[in-house]
Amino acid sequence: MHWIWWVFAFFMAGGFAKVVDTGSKALRTRHERKMARLEAERQERLELEAAHKLPEPVCGCRHHLAKHDKQGKCHEVTQAPTSWDADKKPVAYEPGQCTCQHYVGPQPLSQVYADPLTELN
């Protein structure tokens, strides 16, 4: 029964504080590593989704291919600023024609794809 007194003395002297600190530090480190791993998995998933996404046929003027005619001229109506405030920020806008001269975005696959040159007999 003398060992109980030693445990009691150890407890009273704060000996268990080191054990508790070590345990809480281990749990905190485990949590931080788990959160870092989850963030890395989320980032990887977002990168994979972005890699499998097809390019949008959008021109430098940020308008879709459907807004351009066969010659590439844009027919979208835009908002052009007409007056500015003292901080040189636009205050009023008026509708105007997009000044894009030619479509420069990615071409749809049907215009790029060519049939194979080999014949199958």
Side-chain angles (χ1 to χ4, degrees), residues 7-88:
V7 171
F8 182 70
F10 185 71
F11 178 72
M12 293 306 288
F16 287 113
K18 180 67 174 169
V19 174
V20 171
D21 287 342
T22 303
S24 65
K25 184 178 177 184
L27 289 175
R28 184 173 34 256
T29 303
R30 180 175 183 256
H31 175 72
E32 290 170 357
R33 289 180 181 167
K34 174 94 174 173
M35 295 307 290
R37 188 171 53 245
L38 288 174
E39 179 63 25
E41 289 174 0
R42 186 186 71 80
Q43 187 66 28
E44 181 182 2
R45 187 178 67 248
L46 291 175
E47 290 172 359
L48 282 174
E49 289 174 1
H52 294 313
K53 187 177 174 183
L54 295 175
E56 287 288 323
V58 176
C59 184
C61 63
R62 298 187 311 264
H63 295 136
H64 198 274
L65 174 63
K67 302 294 182 178
H68 294 78
D69 60 12
K70 295 287 184 186
Q71 289 75 31
K73 182 160 175 56
C74 186
H75 293 285
E76 182 68 13
V77 176
T78 61
Q79 296 291 327
T82 56
S83 63
W84 293 265
D85 62 1
D87 295 329
K88 296 185 180 179

